[in-house]
């Protein structure tokens, strides 16, 4: 809607004026009763008592909610790989049969399997896949979604992925933030080592990305079988010099990546399942978002990132789905946040923050994740009267209505 009032919500959680870093208690939440949201041109004009505000608008500008709903900001998924083709069900069967992620990769599975399937897909086929996944994400409350490339690993294939992501962004309502992850793993068919491949990306791929404005973000996977700390640092610093923002796949199986992320000034360090005490202290002392990916832990049978320790140390912690065809095929952000919150003893306030405004910070977005004047009118209505039900049902309670920039999209 161009302008209108939505309400009354039995409860409305603005999540406004909460801290970006460290713990949050539930009693810090501002819970508005019988509230309404006045929307104008895709943004929030005012939040307040519904019955008072409705007198200021004609009836045809009022969307009356006749059932009980709890309103919360639209969810932000700050880390996904939903531009891909094919399946990795074979990998899953091998993994639950006892083989490790790295063993499967050495046997021809893993990321390389997705690379071969994605390279064979047309741009249109990739768009169809992305569009379907975004449609499901929207129905589950995600109104902003980051999407990475990284299953191409040639200049032509990576550009094909990034163009598909860009075109889908323009064709559907959910905001898409693209990230170039051409430095996912060294491609098996590249004539040279990992360092030479990264130099190739800097010379041949990143200038085209800038020219076509396909992405403003660069990512790299720092891990055994991917890229080491030294070559990753050089690549990231060169990309930063070109004007890109940085994020890092860090400390998934071994520590080391988060230290690189901090040193190069990355916006976020993502994964962190293997983060150790020194890295936790480092992350808490710097303006960097620690992004936990519980979907990967569930898919791989690995420990969760120690988000309780990160929060208590003063870090900014977000939660993202890591939706991908290999380690995290579920892609249900709300469910994963509920499961991680229970496992790591997060307050409900901390869990809400991790999938809204703190996740937005991982994407350098200051205009969403909270419900307050001037912010984007990204809003969810859950069919309940108590905000605690949202995580109490462990992700099975989904939003009944989803607004993106004030427009009902699901």
């Amino acid at each position: 809607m161009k302008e209108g009032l939505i309400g009354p919500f039995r409860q409305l959680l603005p999540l406004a004026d909460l801290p970006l870093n460290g713990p949050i208690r539930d009693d810090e939440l501002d819970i508005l009763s019988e509230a309404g949201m006045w929307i104008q041109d895709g943004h929030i004009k005012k939040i307040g008592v519904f019955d008072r505000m409705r007198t200021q608008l004609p009836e045809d500008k009022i969307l009356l909610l006749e059932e009980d709903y709890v309103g919360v900001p639209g969810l932000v998924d700050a880390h996904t790989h939903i531009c891909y083709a094919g399946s990795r069900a074979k990998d899953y069967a091998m993994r639950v049969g006892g083989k490790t992620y790295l063993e499967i990769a050495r046997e021809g599975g893993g990321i390389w399997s997705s690379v071969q399937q994605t390279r064979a897909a047309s741009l249109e086929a990739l768009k169809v896949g992305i569009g379907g996944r975004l449609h499901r994400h929207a129905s589950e409350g995600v109104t902003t979604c980051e999407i990475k490339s990284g299953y191409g690993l040639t200049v032509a294939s990576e550009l094909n992925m990034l163009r598909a992501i860009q075109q889908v962004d323009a064709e559907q309502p959910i905001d898409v933030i693209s990230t170039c992850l051409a430095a996912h793993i060294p491609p098996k068919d590249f004539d040279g080592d990992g360092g030479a491949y990264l130099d190739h990306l800097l010379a041949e791929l990143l200038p085209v990305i800038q020219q076509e404005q396909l992405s403003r973000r660069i990512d790299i996977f720092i891990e055994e079988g991917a890229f080491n700390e030294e070559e990753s640092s050089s690549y990231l610093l060169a990309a930063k010099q070109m004007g890109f923002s940085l994020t890092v796949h860090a400390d998934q199986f071994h520590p080391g990546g988060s230290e690189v992320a901090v040193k190069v000034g990355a916006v976020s360090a993502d994964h962190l399942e293997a983060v150790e005490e020194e890295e936790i202290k480092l992350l808490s002392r710097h303006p960097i978002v620690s992004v936990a990916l519980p979907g990967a832990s569930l898919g791989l049978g690995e420990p969760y990132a120690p988000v309780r320790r990160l929060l208590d140390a003063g870090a900014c912690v977000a939660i993202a789905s890591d939706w991908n065809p290999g380690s995290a095929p579920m892609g249900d952000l709300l469910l994963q946040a509920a499961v991680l919150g229970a496992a790591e003893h997060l307050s409900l306030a901390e869990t809400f923050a991790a999938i809204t405004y703190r996740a937005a910070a991982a994407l350098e977005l200051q205009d969403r994740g909270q419900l307050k004047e001037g912010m984007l009118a990204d809003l969810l209505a859950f069919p309940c009267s108590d905000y605690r039900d949202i995580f109490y049902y462990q992700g099975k309670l989904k939003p009944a209505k989803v607004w993106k920039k004030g427009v009902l999209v699901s």
Side-chain angles (χ1 to χ4, degrees):
M1 65 178 73
K2 185 174 179 60
E3 182 173 18
L5 176 65
I6 303 172
F9 291 92
R10 295 296 169 257
Q11 293 182 336
L12 191 69
L13 272 68
L15 302 183
D17 305 318
L18 293 172
L20 184 61
N21 290 64
I24 314 173
R25 301 184 315 275
D26 284 347
D27 62 12
E28 295 180 71
L29 288 173
D30 187 16
I31 304 169
L32 307 181
S33 299
E34 305 303 319
M37 178 183 292
W38 188 339
I39 294 169
Q40 188 174 59
D41 296 324
H43 291 76
I44 300 169
K45 181 176 180 178
K46 187 178 180 181
I47 292 174
V49 177
F50 176 79
D51 285 343
R52 293 176 187 167
M53 289 194 293
R54 72 179 301 177
T55 63
Q56 303 173 51
L57 284 165
E59 285 298 314
D60 64 352
K61 296 292 186 182
I62 296 172
L63 177 58
L64 186 64
L65 301 178
E66 297 181 344
E67 300 176 22
D68 287 351
Y69 291 107
V70 170
V72 302
L75 308 184
V76 177
D77 195 347
H79 183 127
T80 83
H81 303 255
I82 61 173
C83 179
Y84 66 85
S87 167
R88 298 245 295 276
K90 181 180 177 181
D91 286 16
Y92 177 78
M94 294 170 69
R95 190 159 59 245
V96 296
K99 293 198 173 181
T100 69
Y101 182 89
L102 296 176
E103 287 172 340
I104 293 168
R106 285 193 287 267
E107 294 182 21
I111 293 168
W112 188 247
S113 174
S114 288
V115 168
Q116 293 173 300
Q117 297 177 83
T118 303
R119 283 181 180 179
S122 67
L123 181 143
E124 287 302 319
L126 292 176
K127 286 174 59 179
V128 169
I130 298 167
R133 294 170 196 122
L134 283 175
H135 179 75
R136 200 201 86 182
H137 239 7
S139 72
E140 295 175 348
V142 174
T143 54
T144 299
C145 182
E146 186 261 16
I147 307 177
K148 303 179 190 295
S149 69
Y151 294 129
L153 306 190
T154 66
V155 169
S157 294
E158 287 292 310
L159 289 173
N160 195 48
M161 294 184 73
L162 289 167
R163 289 166 182 152
I165 294 167
Q166 183 184 64
Q167 290 179 30
V168 171
D169 181 30
E171 294 170 359
Q172 52 76 55
I174 303 309
D175 282 338
V176 170
I177 308 299
S178 65
T179 300
C180 175
L181 181 59
H184 206 170
I185 58 171
K188 295 183 178 182
D189 53 1
F190 180 78
D191 186 16
D193 61 12
Y197 174 65
L198 295 177
D199 289 341
H200 173 66
L201 297 180
L202 290 167
E204 304 296 333
L205 177 61
L206 269 58
V208 181
I209 292 173
Q210 284 188 313
Q211 182 180 0
E212 297 188 23
Q213 298 183 334
L214 294 172
S215 179
R216 58 179 177 82
R217 292 164 43 89
I218 297 298
D219 196 351
I220 192 168
F221 186 19
I222 303 176
E223 190 53 76
E224 179 184 331
F227 298 95
N228 65 40
E229 288 89 342
E230 183 179 358
E231 62 196 9
S232 297
S233 295
S234 296
Y235 173 71
L236 291 168
L237 288 171
K240 186 176 185 179
Q241 187 67 29
M242 295 174 70
F244 289 99
S245 292
L246 308 178
T247 182
V248 177
H249 278 59
D251 301 358
Q252 183 174 10
F253 302 110
H254 304 92
S258 58
E259 183 176 358
V260 173
V262 169
K263 285 183 177 179
V264 301
V267 177
S268 72
D270 302 21
H271 272 296
L272 306 177
E273 294 91 336
V275 71
E276 296 181 348
E277 199 60 36
E278 283 304 309
E279 289 78 22
I280 290 174
K281 292 178 182 177
L282 189 65
L283 291 165
S284 69
R285 291 197 301 265
H286 289 82
I288 185 170
V289 183
S290 299
V291 182
L293 305 175
S297 298
L298 290 166
L300 297 175
E302 297 284 342
Y304 295 113
V307 294
R308 180 73 271 157
R309 288 160 56 204
L310 282 159
L311 285 168
D312 288 345
C316 175
V317 174
I319 300 171
S321 74
D322 195 24
W323 192 352
N324 73 71
S327 59
M330 179 208 302
D332 190 325
L333 178 60
L334 192 66
L335 186 154
Q336 292 175 26
V339 169
L340 181 64
E344 285 290 305
H345 303 289
L346 305 186
S347 70
L348 300 188
E350 289 165 342
T351 308
F352 276 120
I355 55 177
T356 55
Y357 72 90
R358 287 179 170 179
L363 301 176
E364 299 179 284
L365 300 172
Q366 287 80 45
D367 61 353
R368 66 200 70 191
Q370 297 173 316
L371 303 178
K372 60 182 182 180
E373 184 177 332
M375 291 284 205
L376 289 181
D378 294 353
L379 171 68
L380 311 181
F382 283 89
C384 58
S385 57
D386 187 329
Y387 79 94
R388 293 170 293 195
D389 285 346
I390 296 171
F391 292 121
Y392 169 66
Y393 288 106
Q394 299 175 306
K396 292 298 289 184
L397 182 68
K398 302 300 185 186
K401 299 178 186 294
V402 177
W403 290 270
K404 176 63 185 176
K405 297 177 184 174
V407 177
L408 189 66
V409 297
S410 182

